[in-house]
Amino acid sequence: MSFLRASTSIAGLASSSSSARCWTTFRSAAALHTSAVRSAESHKQRTARIVRKTNVERKAERDQLYEANKPHVVLGTRPGDDAKWLNCDLAKTLVSEDELAGLPAPRPEGEVQAPEHLSYGLDGLDGAETKDEQLRFFFEQLPDASALAEVDVNLMDKLGLVRGQDAALNPEDKRALVMLQVREQEKAKQLARVVDLRNANARGISFENRRRIIAAFSPTKEVTDSGYPEVQVALLTMKIRNIWSHLMQRKKDIHGRRALRMVVHQRAKMLKYIKRVDRHRYDRILARVGVEPESVEGELVV
C-alpha cells in the first residue's frame, strides 16, 4: 500500500511540473479534434461553392446586359438604335411638324410656288389624278381660265380677232388684261398658302399622315381602305409615338398614360393575330414599322 501511495504522489508531481507544457501541446492539437475535422470543407465542396458563385455572377451579368439592351416597350427599338426607326417605311411615310418647319418659306413675290406637301387630299393618293396633274390644274390652268372668264365681252372679241395675241391690243386693253392676270395670280398664291401642309394644325397633319399610312400599307393602295391588320398596326404605332411625345412634355398627364397602355396592348393583340395567321407577314410588318419582336411579345409592362 505504501508503494502505491508513493507512486501516485510521484505521478502527481510529474504532472504538475509539466502542466504548462502539456497545455500548450493540447491547444496546438485542438485543430485535429474530431469536431474540427467534420466542419472542415472538402475540396469537392469548395469547388462546388466556387462554381455556384461564378454561375450567380454570370447570371447577374446576363440579366444586366439583357436589361440594358432590352427594346423599349413603347417605342419598340433598342437603346441607341434609333436608325431602325428612321430607316423603316413608317418613318419615311410620316410628316412631322419639325420637318414642315424646316422647309423654306415661299417667296412673297414672283410666280406661284406650289407647296411641297399638300393638304385637303391634293396629294394624289386617291388615285384619281397624280400630284403633278393636280398642281398643274390648280396653279397653271385654273388661274388662266379664271382670268379669261372675267374678261369683258368686248375685250374677248378683240382677243378673238387677234387670235389671242395680246401684243396686238391697245395699251388700255393690255393694262386691263394684265390686271386680271395679276389678280388671278394672287388668288393662286392664296390658294397655295391654304393647301400648304405647313399652315395646318396638328389635327390636319395627323389626318394627312393617316391617309399616307393607309395608302402605303394597304394592299389595295386606297386611302379609304383601313381594315387590313397591317394598316391598323401602322396607325397604332403612329398614335403610340404621338402620345409618347406628348407625355415627354407633360409627365403628369395620368389619362394620357392610361391611353398609352391601352394602345400598346391593342397593337400587341393585333400583331399576335398576324403572327398566328402568317409568320411572314408578322416579320415583315415589324420591320416596316420599326419594332423589335421582344417589345410586343410576352408580358408588357408600360
Side-chain angles (χ1 to χ4, degrees), residues 103-123:
L103 296 176
R107 296 185 299 269
E109 298 179 356
E111 298 181 356
V112 180
Q113 183 180 2
E116 182 177 353
H117 299 284
L118 300 173
S119 59
Y120 298 103
L122 300 181
D123 46 14

Side-chain angles (χ1 to χ4, degrees), residues 13 17 47 147 207 219 247 260 267:
L13 291 174
S17 61
T47 304
F207 174 77
L247 292 177
L260 180 64
R267 181 182 65 177

Side-chain angles (χ1 to χ4, degrees), residues 155 158 162 165-177:
L155 183 57
K158 294 178 181 179
V162 297
Q165 300 295 329
D166 53 355
L169 299 174
N170 56 48
E172 185 178 353
D173 293 337
K174 287 182 181 180
R175 191 181 305 109
L177 185 60

Side-chain angles (χ1 to χ4, degrees), residues 11 43 62 80 108 127 146 151 175 179 191 198 224 240 261 269 283 301:
H43 177 71
R62 288 196 303 266
S146 299
V151 171
R175 191 181 305 109
M179 290 181 62
L191 177 62
R198 290 176 295 186
T224 57
I240 287 171
R261 287 194 295 268
K269 291 179 181 178
D283 296 335
V301 180

Side-chain angles (χ1 to χ4, degrees), residues 121-130 134 211 215 221-224:
L122 300 181
D123 46 14
L125 296 178
D126 52 1
E129 293 180 348
T130 63
Q134 292 182 349
R211 296 182 72 256
K221 303 300 180 183
E222 296 182 3
V223 295
T224 57

Side-chain angles (χ1 to χ4, degrees), residues 76-269:
T77 57
R78 300 185 186 278
D81 191 14
D82 296 336
K84 184 176 182 63
W85 163 251
L86 297 176
N87 296 329
C88 69
D89 295 342
L90 181 58
K92 296 177 181 178
T93 303
L94 299 177
V95 178
S96 62
E97 297 182 7
D98 297 336
E99 180 182 354
L100 295 175
L103 296 176
R107 296 185 299 269
E109 298 179 356
E111 298 181 356
V112 180
Q113 183 180 2
E116 182 177 353
H117 299 284
L118 300 173
S119 59
Y120 298 103
L122 300 181
D123 46 14
L125 296 178
D126 52 1
E129 293 180 348
T130 63
K131 181 179 178 180
D132 295 336
E133 292 176 351
Q134 292 182 349
L135 292 177
R136 191 180 306 111
F137 171 76
F138 282 104
F139 301 108
E140 295 180 9
Q141 300 174 0
L142 185 60
D144 295 339
S146 299
L148 291 177
E150 295 185 6
V151 171
D152 187 67
V153 178
N154 296 329
L155 183 57
M156 183 67 70
D157 294 339
K158 294 178 181 179
L159 286 174
L161 293 175
V162 297
R163 296 180 181 180
Q165 300 295 329
D166 53 355
L169 299 174
N170 56 48
E172 185 178 353
D173 293 337
K174 287 182 181 180
R175 191 181 305 109
L177 185 60
V178 169
M179 290 181 62
L180 288 175
Q181 292 176 349
V182 171
R183 187 186 307 168
E184 293 303 323
Q185 289 293 325
E186 290 297 328
K187 291 181 181 179
K189 291 180 181 179
Q190 294 177 5
L191 177 62
R193 287 192 289 268
V194 169
V195 300
D196 195 345
L197 195 59
R198 290 176 295 186
N199 298 325
N201 55 7
R203 182 174 297 180
I205 296 175
S206 178
F207 174 77
E208 291 299 324
N209 282 331
R210 286 196 296 270
R211 296 182 72 256
R212 290 168 177 259
I213 289 175
I214 297 173
F217 287 82
S218 176
T220 59
K221 303 300 180 183
E222 296 182 3
V223 295
T224 57
D225 194 358
S226 61
Y228 285 89
E230 289 83 354
V231 177
Q232 293 296 320
V233 170
L235 291 173
L236 291 173
T237 302
M238 181 193 70
K239 188 174 182 180
I240 287 171
R241 286 192 166 266
N242 290 339
I243 298 176
W244 178 259
S245 301
H246 169 77
L247 292 177
M248 288 296 99
Q249 299 175 359
R250 298 166 179 83
K251 299 182 181 297
K252 295 185 179 181
D253 189 356
I254 305 301
H255 298 285
R257 295 180 186 178
R258 180 177 180 274
L260 180 64
R261 287 194 295 268
M262 293 176 62
V263 179
V264 167
H265 285 86
Q266 186 177 358
R267 181 182 65 177
K269 291 179 181 178

